[in-house]
Amino acid sequence: MQIVFLGTSSGAPTTKRNVSGIGLRLLQRGSWWLFDCGEGTQHQIMHSILNISQLEKIFITHLHGDHIFGLMGMLASRSLRGSDTSKITLYGPKGLEEYIQAIMKISPIHLQYPLEIKITEEGVIYEDDEMIVEAAKVKHRVPAFAYSVTEKPRPGAFKIKLAKEAGIPKGPWYASLKAGKTITLEDGRVFDGKDFVNPPQPGLKVAFSGDTIPCEAMVKLAEGADLLIHESTYVHKHLELAERSGHSTAYQAASIAEAAGVKELILTHISPRYDTEDGPITLDDMVKEAQSVFPTTILAEDLAIHEIKRTRQK
Ligand SMILES: [Zn+2]
Ligand SMILES: [Zn+2]
């Protein structure tokens, strides 16, 4: 799994940061999913390694403008290309369907591909053979959800060299061993499949907070994740502002990461007020604040690519 940050600013863009948008590249599937779609996200996609043709799902955390104002433009541009006919499934809070329909009614557009809209509820919202997506209600000024994406465990690799060395003939015997069965060869030798298959590989997990004040639901959703991407709109000195606007501080985001036992934390949704070189409070201060609680913290940067690794750093 790869994360591509498309926008990391809160509220309004700056010259260095666009508003919310995060791509999740699913390399084994040749597709990617988008989390939130602030204005200008389609431009950021063009500047990134992501390809709009391969966009498969969009998850909206809440209906504030800095998370959805880029949606209609991006969907329309994808349609204009004409060649992208694959379906997009859009998930988001109640009101999202009305929002899309109202725009499409007043500013007519006929999408050249199917768009399915699903209203997000708490719990598992999507599942297939490889992935599970869960949503949790978080605490913001409007109904808001956080999402987690978990890969299902992959079967362990077959130890083909060992099978060859044991002189087991290829073909159906291999298939039986791979399935964990015990086989008896014609010469009477018996082999247990368990000895020929590596243990299953646990899947990766990533959680996206969207906008929220620190809450227990977020800790639960992110539990044991390989990566937590949490909003960090303010530094703790501005806690009052954070509380008033329904956001988290860097310190609070780090505390959530700590409580959830995640491996890595990336801070995003940064207030433009800190995006200056000369302070008084800089982004450096923000990262240090979080690292004092949770050392494996970094700050998201627009267009940065982050590979989610399996190794435990903590
Ligand atoms: Zn926001
Ligand atoms: Zn918001």
Side-chain angles (χ1 to χ4, degrees):
M1 281 192 199
Q2 262 181 358
I3 299 289
V4 182
F5 289 96
L6 297 166
T8 59
S9 181
S10 75
T14 69
T15 53
K16 296 183 212 110
R17 295 175 185 273
N18 197 46
V19 281
S20 288
I22 300 172
L24 173 67
R25 258 182 119 199
L26 306 166
L27 300 166
Q28 73 278 20
R29 292 156 78 114
S31 64
W32 65 281
W33 297 349
L34 176 65
F35 292 81
D36 284 334
C37 189
E39 184 190 353
T41 297
Q42 61 172 318
H43 297 258
Q44 296 291 84
I45 293 169
M46 286 190 278
H47 292 299
S48 78
I49 54 164
L50 300 169
N51 182 337
I52 191 102
S53 308
Q54 293 167 336
L55 175 59
E56 188 187 303
K57 294 181 187 300
I58 304 169
F59 299 89
I60 298 297
T61 58
H62 66 297
L63 301 183
H64 275 154
D66 59 325
H67 297 254
I68 59 163
F69 282 172
L71 196 51
M72 213 56 243
M74 187 196 66
L75 293 174
S77 297
R78 188 181 191 264
S79 186
L80 284 175
R81 286 160 59 100
S83 53
D84 299 329
T85 51
S86 61
K87 182 174 102 172
I88 287 194
T89 312
L90 176 62
Y91 300 80
K94 220 168 150 225
L96 182 62
E97 195 168 13
E98 258 175 287
Y99 172 77
I100 298 284
Q101 282 169 353
I103 297 175
M104 288 173 87
K105 194 175 159 203
I106 295 163
S107 174
I109 169 166
H110 178 72
L111 296 179
Q112 301 294 320
Y113 54 85
L115 175 71
E116 187 184 6
I117 302 175
K118 295 195 167 190
I119 297 308
T120 300
E121 303 280 354
E122 263 189 311
V124 174
I125 58 162
Y126 175 74
E127 183 169 4
D128 61 30
D129 292 347
E130 295 173 324
M131 323 285 288
I132 300 179
V133 183
E134 280 179 81
K137 263 187 205 157
V138 288
K139 290 184 178 166
H140 194 42
R141 282 172 296 146
V142 295
F145 289 92
Y147 295 101
S148 72
V149 178
T150 310
E151 286 176 335
K152 291 184 177 175
R154 290 184 202 165
F158 181 55
K159 298 176 184 172
I160 192 157
K161 200 169 156 223
L162 197 68
K164 273 184 191 164
E165 281 165 6
I168 303 167
K170 280 185 197 165
W173 293 127
Y174 277 22
S176 298
L177 287 174
K178 272 187 208 171
K181 291 179 186 160
T182 298
I183 59 166
T184 308
L185 298 184
E186 278 158 18
D187 60 14
R189 288 186 297 153
V190 177
F191 294 100
D192 187 343
K194 286 189 204 80
D195 300 329
F196 291 86
V197 181
N198 284 319
Q201 286 266 326
L204 293 169
K205 177 175 175 180
V206 56
F208 305 87
S209 75
D211 288 6
T212 183
I213 59 168
C215 62
E216 200 44 45
M218 191 64 236
V219 175
K220 212 171 149 227
L221 185 78
E223 209 177 340
D226 295 273
L227 173 65
L228 167 62
I229 301 170
H230 202 284
E231 76 124 289
S232 167
T233 312
Y234 296 102
V235 295
H236 211 62
K237 198 180 168 202
H238 296 145
L239 176 64
E240 204 194 312
L241 271 178
E243 283 176 344
R244 216 187 306 149
S245 55
H247 290 298
S248 299
T249 67
Y251 175 86
Q252 290 173 324
S255 305
I256 295 286
E258 180 68 29
V262 306
K263 292 170 197 162
E264 273 186 292
L265 169 66
I266 301 185
L267 306 177
T268 189
H269 199 270
I270 315 296
S271 167
R273 67 165 59 215
Y274 309 116
D275 205 357
T276 60
E277 311 276 286
D278 41 6
I281 298 169
T282 65
L283 294 175
D284 229 26
D285 299 323
M286 178 177 267
V287 178
K288 280 184 190 140
E289 176 180 305
Q291 285 173 341
S292 71
V293 180
F294 193 80
T296 46
T297 301
I298 58 169
L299 191 74
E301 302 292 345
D302 278 31
L303 302 179
I305 301 165
H306 187 85
E307 185 94 38
I308 308 176
K309 297 183 196 87
R310 222 170 278 275
T311 49
R312 181 171 277 272
Q313 292 178 333
K314 276 188 77 195

